Amino acid sequence: MSTPYPFTAVVGQSDLRLALLLNAVSPAVGGVLVRGEKGTAKSTAVRALSALLPQVDIVSGCRFSCAPTAPDPACPDGPHEPGPGALRPARMVELPVGASEDRLVGALDIERALAEGVKAFEPGLLADAHRGILYVDEVNLLHDHLIDLLLDAAAMGASYVEREGVSVRHAARFLLVGTMNPEEGELRPQLLDRFGLTVEVAASREPAHRVEVVRRRLAYEDDPAGFATRWAGDEHEVRARVVAARALLPKVSLGDTALLQIAATCAGFEVDGMRADIVMARTATALAAWAGRTEVRKEDVRQAALLALPHRRRRNPFDAPGLDEDMLDRILDQFPDEEPEPDPEPEPEPEGPDDGPEDGGPDGGPGGTPPQGGGPDVPETERQPEPDAADAPEAPEAPEAPQSPEPQPSAQESAGPEQTAVRAAEPFRTKMLSVPGLGEGASGRRSRARTAHGRTTGATRPRGHLTKLHLAATIQAAAPHQKARGRAGRGLVIRKDDLRQAMREGREGNLVLFVVDASGSMAARQRMGAVKGAVLSLLLDAYQRRDKVGLITFRGATAELALPPTSSVDAAAARLEQLPTGGRTPLAAGLLKAHEVLRIERLRDPSRRPLLVVVTDGRATSAGNAGGRTDSTPRELAGHSARLLQAGGVASVVVDCESGPVRLGLAGVLARDLGGPAVTLDGLRADSLAGLVKNVRTAVASTASTDSNRRAA
């Protein structure tokens, strides 16, 4: 087994280290979610934490880590006889993003259960993590059905495995730690709230700190054992301090003043529910025990709020987590602490073997007092204030281009000046768009698909390990062979060939690729604000339905992939907010860019079906970089590009942004070329009176019927 990187050798990241240590002192705090950019020691710190946890006393031979003093009465390996236990190190169990359900909760041998009535159960990762740490790297990429199982186990402290009436239950109480990069997508609100604390981490911009990180990492890679030996003293000190804080924790007093501070803080920041109050109380108590005190002070409540509230204040996926510290101080100042009795001075912390920056210094790392915002030697990452979109100057109103069957470029388009990005209108609830047919993509909430969860639609022979038994089909397959198999008693004689896997139908997530017209014609009459609001609404819908999203914009002479397909809808919203307008309309270039992006994504993820959403008024005034057909008009090139997408089986929707009393209906023509429906901005609203075809297949049939009638006429 490789030597882990020492926890105390992590440079900086004081908030991250403190949050992990508080959970080591009081596992009831509820775990830690670590958010931050790649390469910031998130995984290194989490994996190193297990070495600081006290050893666990377990029943000898129990696969579910029952405590000898209080064994689980429902333990599958029980009942346990009283007796001495055995000590083992606390486990750090890692849940891979691509793990199966059976790997997480355990596997039950259905064949033996039906034929022999024996509960042959193989424990999963939840059993391994009991009384230890369950670590999920890239937790925001975890499949929905695994997240549901984690939520159930975290809420009940137990794991249940149900297979056609056969049930197994075992205790599963663990410290849940997750790491994620927000650029790759956000967590579901239900799971986000299950994490007691959250920490934002970023790489230091101070050269001296970065040098120390590189120096320590290279020393560790050259000699892991020797490097760990150098830090063994610091590791022992922190481990002893964790044990002492655990012993002191029951003696810590949480007074009425501290409770009022906690309640007022949660109410002042309008946090939903009561979990935040409970987590803050537990965190503040753990902070006092970690500092060696027996009463909770205002600084403990303040630090607890900074760790427990930021991720609970988000109202939608486009809100950045954070906390107004000035407001926090104003709330806490309303309830001043009573004069505490003087505590004995804490023992000075030993110096580390390497006098590099941030070794038990003012940053409040494992060797000091809890940080209150970082010491002078820990530079905060400078955050530039984001410009208020409301202060952005709006684009000057320009007259509409002359209306004609083949529109000519307006003066605004031909001049091609870039206009300032306008603010998006308020988002709204949209009607649902879906892809026709039955897919097999990742679970989500948009289109019909064969999934591991959902309503049962049939049965088939299992491919590999049986996961969902179709009981009726299994009995039907076994029944004709009972006499030949010598059945004598009441039970059926079941063989492996009789087992049938249940086929289930649920919903999948899709790749929603937005192609947004940002040309000068879209800026006329300030339509771009409404267009951005509509796209923002569709992005919010994509977040709720577990889709991947991508963003293509076209204007002037080119089309640009503003955001490659990703699970981060807030990244798409940020790119959309900054989108300027102006120039001519290379519609064909935008459609061809979409064709290229979808072709590449089909190779990367063939099971995820795409939905193309084209947001435009249908004008085409420039061929752009659509390529080589000089004998065709921009409108003809756009039609050819659209039919290319239709021939590839891409489901499409056109959001018609044309306004004014005179309409050309060019977006409807584009929709027919794409083989999908067209919907106006008003018709996109879920509460509008205008009807929207939910399924693209209906629009395809309607288009085919219209074309047939025209040919007959």
Side-chain angles (χ1 to χ4, degrees):
M1 181 178 178
S2 60
T3 303
Y5 192 90
F7 184 86
T8 52
V10 175
V11 178
Q13 308 297 11
S14 57
D15 285 344
L16 169 58
R17 292 187 290 171
L18 178 63
L20 292 172
L21 288 170
L22 291 177
N23 275 273
V25 171
S26 175
V29 167
V32 186
L33 174 64
V34 187
R35 298 164 47 94
E37 59 195 24
K38 53 187 176 292
T40 50
K42 300 188 299 292
S43 300
T44 299
V46 173
R47 292 189 175 101
L49 176 65
S50 60
L52 302 180
L53 298 181
Q55 290 189 319
V56 179
D57 190 14
I58 64 169
V59 174
S60 299
C62 178
R63 298 175 296 167
F64 301 88
S65 302
C66 284
T69 55
D72 182 8
C75 177
D77 286 354
H80 299 299
E81 296 294 333
L87 288 175
R88 67 159 174 78
R91 290 174 179 162
M92 202 284 294
V93 179
E94 188 164 351
L95 172 61
V97 171
S100 65
E101 180 180 331
D102 285 348
R103 184 71 187 97
L104 177 62
V105 300
L108 187 63
D109 193 332
I110 298 297
E111 184 178 358
R112 291 189 62 191
L114 291 177
E116 305 174 25
V118 176
K119 294 183 180 180
F121 181 69
E122 184 66 29
L125 295 177
L126 290 180
D128 293 341
H130 180 47
R131 304 175 68 193
I133 302 172
L134 181 62
Y135 171 50
V136 189
D137 194 14
E138 306 294 349
V139 63
N140 52 325
L141 304 182
L142 200 64
H143 291 301
D144 276 2
H145 68 283
L146 297 182
I147 289 179
D148 293 335
L149 293 170
L150 276 180
L151 288 175
D152 290 342
M156 297 183 293
S159 175
Y160 291 85
V161 183
E162 303 280 351
R163 293 289 188 273
E164 301 298 337
V166 180
S167 177
V168 174
R169 174 208 169 277
H170 64 83
R173 291 182 294 274
F174 47 82
L175 170 60
L176 181 60
V177 181
T179 56
M180 60 174 284
N181 185 346
E183 295 178 356
E184 297 173 339
E186 287 294 343
L187 274 175
R188 284 173 53 182
Q190 296 92 330
L191 184 58
L192 190 63
D193 191 52
R194 287 294 177 187
F195 287 98
L197 310 179
T198 185
V199 177
E200 294 278 343
V201 297
S204 173
R205 300 297 185 261
E206 178 62 36
H209 293 174
R210 300 175 74 95
V211 166
E212 188 63 24
V213 171
V214 175
R215 179 183 292 119
R216 294 186 187 182
R217 189 67 199 185
L218 293 179
Y220 169 74
E221 292 177 354
D222 289 342
D223 183 9
F227 185 82
T229 301
R230 290 176 57 198
W231 290 91
D234 285 1
E235 293 282 290
H236 176 74
E237 293 289 339
V238 174
R239 190 181 301 110
R241 188 172 176 183
V242 169
V243 173
R246 280 193 173 189
L248 183 62
L249 187 65
K251 303 175 184 177
V252 175
S253 172
L254 184 65
D256 291 342
T257 300
L259 285 172
L260 282 172
Q261 292 170 342
I262 291 170
T265 300
C266 293
F269 284 104
E270 300 180 352
V271 177
D272 294 335
M274 295 297 299
R275 181 174 285 118
D277 302 63
I278 297 171
V279 171
M280 274 191 64
R282 290 171 174 167
T283 305
T285 304
L287 279 162
W290 177 249
R293 289 185 270 104
T294 56
E295 80 286 338
V296 174
R297 298 178 181 173
K298 184 171 71 174
E299 58 263 30
D300 300 325
V301 176
R302 187 182 192 278
Q303 184 65 45
L306 293 175
L307 293 172
L309 295 189
H311 63 301
R312 292 186 166 90
R313 296 195 63 244
R314 298 189 61 168
R315 292 293 180 265
N316 64 65
F318 309 134
D319 291 340
L323 210 63
D324 185 342
E325 296 192 33
D326 292 335
M327 178 179 174
L328 175 61
D329 290 333
R330 288 195 300 271
I331 294 173
L332 294 178
D333 288 342
Q334 299 174 13
F335 306 94
D337 282 339
E338 298 178 359
E339 286 297 326
E341 295 181 3
D343 284 325
E345 291 293 330
E347 296 181 4
E349 292 298 321
E351 291 287 339
D354 191 334
D355 292 333
E358 305 186 25
D359 288 346
D363 70 339
T369 57
Q372 305 297 329
D377 63 336
V378 184
E380 294 287 342
T381 303
E382 294 184 2
R383 297 181 180 178
Q384 298 295 333
E386 297 182 0
D388 190 350
D391 296 334
E394 295 186 351
E397 183 170 348
E400 285 275 11
Q403 307 293 335
S404 61
E406 185 64 41
Q408 300 299 319
S410 64
Q412 184 183 26
E413 288 184 307
S414 58
E418 180 174 302
Q419 301 181 12
T420 306
V422 298
R423 182 181 181 182
E426 286 297 320
F428 52 84
R429 189 167 63 91
T430 66
K431 292 187 176 179
M432 180 176 152
L433 306 171
S434 62
V435 178
L438 194 63
E440 295 182 349
S443 62
R445 297 182 179 179
R446 185 171 297 278
S447 305
R448 294 174 55 229
R450 296 186 184 92
T451 59
H453 303 271
R455 63 186 183 90
T456 301
T457 58
T460 184
R461 290 181 181 274
R463 299 175 183 176
H465 185 68
L466 178 71
T467 56
K468 297 292 183 181
L469 178 73
H470 195 295
L471 183 59
T474 299
I475 294 175
Q476 187 176 7
H481 308 290
Q482 296 305 297
K483 185 175 180 180
R485 295 173 183 174
R487 174 187 172 189
R490 297 178 58 185
L492 289 175
V493 181
I494 303 291
R495 293 183 179 174
K496 190 171 183 178
D497 291 342
D498 301 328
L499 300 179
R500 294 295 183 268
Q501 176 82 20
M503 298 172 59
R504 304 199 174 190
E505 182 178 312
R507 294 280 174 177
E508 68 176 358
N510 297 112
L511 167 58
V512 182
L513 182 61
F514 294 92
V515 180
V516 180
D517 185 347
S519 64
S521 66
M522 294 290 289
R525 298 190 179 184
Q526 305 302 317
R527 282 183 288 175
M528 204 59 197
V531 169
K532 286 186 176 182
V535 178
L536 200 64
S537 305
L538 290 168
L539 283 171
L540 182 58
D541 181 70
Y543 166 78
Q544 295 169 342
R545 300 189 187 281
R546 313 291 180 260
D547 295 317
K548 291 180 66 175
V549 296
L551 178 64
I552 293 174
T553 63
F554 59 93
R555 66 186 185 91
T558 60
E560 176 189 2
L561 180 60
L563 182 71
T566 176
S567 297
S568 178
V569 295
D570 49 347
R575 300 291 175 88
L576 179 72
E577 193 68 27
Q578 300 165 5
L579 178 65
T581 58
R584 306 182 71 180
T585 313
L587 178 57
L591 296 175
L592 288 179
K593 188 69 173 179
H595 182 271
E596 177 188 353
V597 170
L598 293 178
R599 179 184 62 82
I600 295 173
E601 285 301 310
R602 191 176 289 115
L603 296 175
R604 292 176 177 170
D605 190 358
S607 64
R608 188 179 290 269
R609 298 186 295 164
L611 175 63
L612 182 67
V613 180
V614 184
V615 185
T616 180
D617 57 7
R619 295 168 181 257
T621 60
S622 170
N625 55 357
R629 299 187 55 172
T630 56
D631 57 335
S632 301
T633 65
R635 177 64 253 170
E636 291 171 341
L637 285 174
H640 173 75
S641 303
R643 289 187 290 274
L644 182 64
L645 286 163
Q646 182 186 17
V650 177
S652 305
V653 176
V654 177
V655 179
D656 185 0
C657 303
E658 192 174 28
S659 62
V662 180
R663 298 172 183 257
L664 300 179
L666 297 177
V669 176
L670 175 63
R672 287 196 294 272
D673 289 337
L674 287 168
V679 57
T680 63
L681 291 175
D682 289 337
L684 192 62
R685 294 177 179 269
D687 55 354
S688 68
L689 297 177
L692 174 63
V693 181
K694 290 185 178 181
N695 197 303
V696 182
R697 175 179 290 173
T698 306
V700 174
S702 175
T703 303
S705 175
T706 303
D707 292 342
S708 176
N709 292 337
R710 286 181 177 177
R711 287 193 297 269

